[in-house]
Amino acid sequence: MRRHIATITDVAERHLCTGCGACAYAQPDDIAMVDDLDAGRRPVVRPGAATAVALDTCPGVGLGHPDDHGPGVIDELVGAWGPVLEVWEGHATDPAIRWAGSSGGAATALALHGIEHEAMHGALHVRQRPGDPLRNEAVLGRSRDELLAGAGSRYAPASPCERLDLVAEAPSPCVVIGKPCDIAAVAKLRLHDRRLAQNVGVTIAIFCAGTPSARGTRELVERFGFAPDEVRSVRYRGNGWPGRATVEAERDGERHEQSMSYAESWGSILQRHRQWRCHVCADHTGEFADLAVGDPWYRDIGPDEPGSSLILVRTRRGRELLERAVASGVLEVTPLAARRLVDAQPNLLDTRGALWGRLATLRVLGIAAPRYRNMATFPIWWSHLSPVAKLRSVTGTARRVVRKRLHRRRPVRPE
């Protein structure tokens, strides 16, 4: 891959950028993040600038675990899901946090516990951008109200690592919440940045099936009959489990609200706009985080059922924080058998299974592809997928190469 990827510009133009913003944090004088309607958040490099430092911290080019995951990992999960020490289901005890969250509000509750009970300075997280509700921004929340303002999944481009300066300059450690690629970038950055090594108190990853471009949100808004400049708020889910995609708009001085089910908004609109890098991602469940949170889809959900979160403990630091959060009363949790993770996220296991075929196809065609170390791909492709699914992982990728023109560089197009 190195023959394709020598700079951060190569990462962006050869379709490997995750949009995390780590490069802009690593070299703020040389790299800035911009909005590209059809690609997502993308880096623009100052002419003539070298980007070797940023490239070393980029999760888009590849990820890897050490040879030894350490003691206590669950053997039956480690191959497909990374290091997992414990599996829990739980929810925030604060009704407002539980209601606002995408599932049970666990990530928000854990972050608030860190601030109120662990003397952490704040939590870096993503919220709707003021004045531009179709987009996101990264902020350092320091109170319950500020965290609630960002509760609920944001299915639009976000680059939280761009604002890791807020963590590095904080007077005490902070929580960092992000997508798996964001947290993987934080793990890389901490190896190079002493301030982050000291000031990242705990990392919380949100399970992710891919990031839609801003074009996806625009299509959602237009499906409701609103123009982008009429929109005042976009909520993708939450306010119930899993909640509804809801758009609030103002037209001729009157407020209007339209909504559709989470399944319809994601299944028929948003997922079609996912950036290419998400299709060749090995980490959809936050393998490099201390704690990872997702939906426990292993059972049917009733229409009025309160939210519940699947919680993976991935490190000793994560285990200790979860234990103290439960002891402080901000979370209620129940242990789950390891198999429940597989039952809860079968689509993510299918995606991991298809990965080897996708990567092999890209390499045969001479197209840039990420490299993974100690993150199993072939064994899952071989054992988990049916013969038809194996073939589809190859032929489908070849078709996408043509349709998406992945063999061509695509310059970043700032709006």
Side-chain angles (χ1 to χ4, degrees):
M1 186 187 67
R2 284 295 180 180
R3 66 190 176 92
H4 294 294
I5 307 298
T7 68
I8 287 295
T9 299
D10 291 336
V11 175
E13 293 189 354
R14 292 196 178 276
H15 316 282
L16 290 186
C17 183
T18 69
C20 69
C23 57
Y25 169 77
Q27 294 186 231
D29 294 332
D30 299 320
I31 303 171
M33 300 299 291
V34 299
D35 292 305
D36 183 317
L37 181 63
D38 291 301
R41 295 284 288 170
R42 289 294 180 266
V44 172
V45 179
R46 178 176 58 82
T51 57
V53 174
L55 195 63
D56 284 342
T57 62
C58 174
V61 299
L63 296 170
H65 289 295
D67 294 335
D68 183 3
H69 286 292
V73 298
I74 301 174
D75 290 338
E76 67 184 276
L77 296 179
V78 69
W81 307 91
V84 178
L85 306 183
E86 299 167 1
V87 182
W88 298 84
E89 183 174 346
H91 59 84
T93 57
D94 183 322
I97 292 177
R98 187 178 187 182
W99 172 255
S102 294
S103 46
T108 303
L110 286 163
L112 187 60
H113 166 83
I115 295 169
E116 294 186 342
H117 298 274
E118 307 266 337
M120 294 191 188
H121 182 68
L124 186 68
H125 66 110
V126 170
R127 70 178 184 187
Q128 178 176 282
R129 191 184 300 179
D132 191 356
L134 276 66
R135 304 192 184 279
N136 297 321
E137 69 171 1
V139 296
L140 191 71
R142 301 200 56 215
S143 68
R144 176 179 177 275
D145 288 345
E146 289 175 349
L147 293 181
L148 272 172
S153 296
R154 300 289 304 169
Y155 296 132
S159 51
C161 294
E162 177 185 14
R163 295 314 316 272
L164 281 168
D165 60 299
L166 299 173
V167 175
E169 296 167 5
S172 61
C174 298
V175 181
V176 177
I177 305 173
K179 304 181 302 298
C181 55
D182 304 327
I183 300 304
V186 172
K188 282 191 166 189
L189 284 163
R190 290 170 75 179
L191 298 176
H192 299 269
D193 190 313
R194 181 179 56 83
R195 297 183 305 166
L196 283 185
Q198 294 176 341
N199 265 15
V200 175
V202 68
T203 54
I204 303 173
I206 310 300
F207 287 17
C208 177
T211 300
S213 69
R215 179 77 69 181
T217 298
R218 182 167 293 190
E219 182 179 332
L220 177 69
V221 165
E222 291 173 349
R223 182 75 63 89
F224 289 133
F226 299 131
D229 60 0
E230 295 175 325
V231 177
R232 298 295 175 264
S233 173
V234 178
R235 189 173 186 91
Y236 299 86
R237 55 181 297 194
N239 287 346
W241 185 32
R244 296 176 63 82
T246 304
V247 176
E248 297 179 8
E250 185 174 334
R251 178 181 295 164
D252 299 327
E254 295 184 359
R255 303 287 285 194
H256 303 269
E257 179 178 299
Q258 296 279 354
S259 71
M260 68 173 65
S261 71
Y262 160 67
E264 183 181 1
S265 63
W266 176 258
S268 66
I269 300 175
L270 294 169
Q271 72 165 342
R272 295 190 292 103
H273 295 275
R274 287 174 294 173
Q275 60 187 0
W276 169 248
R277 180 58 178 76
C278 299
H279 291 277
V280 288
C281 179
D283 179 17
H284 292 275
T285 59
E287 295 188 20
F288 297 87
D290 294 307
L291 294 160
V293 179
D295 287 284
W297 298 129
Y298 63 85
R299 55 188 170 82
D300 293 332
I301 299 172
D304 299 315
E305 188 169 343
S308 190
S309 299
L310 189 70
I311 306 170
L312 305 185
V313 173
R314 293 195 176 275
T315 67
R316 184 176 66 180
R317 182 189 307 207
R319 171 189 282 154
E320 292 170 352
L321 183 81
L322 179 65
E323 290 175 348
R324 292 193 295 267
V326 172
S328 71
V330 302
L331 272 177
E332 291 183 3
V333 297
T334 302
L336 292 181
R339 178 68 203 179
R340 284 304 190 191
L341 172 56
V342 183
D343 298 337
Q345 297 290 335
N347 61 317
L348 297 186
L349 184 58
D350 291 343
T351 300
R352 181 68 170 263
L355 184 58
W356 184 85
R358 293 174 181 175
L359 295 175
T361 304
L362 293 177
R363 290 178 182 130
V364 167
L365 295 175
I367 294 170
R371 297 282 181 179
Y372 297 110
R373 182 173 180 273
N374 291 331
M375 301 178 76
T377 57
F378 179 77
I380 305 169
W381 181 84
W382 182 256
S383 63
H384 179 70
L385 295 192
S386 68
V388 171
K390 287 185 178 73
L391 180 62
R392 190 181 299 123
S393 72
V394 174
T395 59
T397 301
R399 285 195 297 270
R400 284 190 175 111
V401 166
V402 175
R403 188 173 71 250
K404 294 179 177 290
R405 300 183 178 182
L406 299 178
H407 56 289
R408 298 183 181 179
R409 298 180 73 106
R410 180 193 182 277
V412 175
R413 300 163 185 163
E415 288 187 63

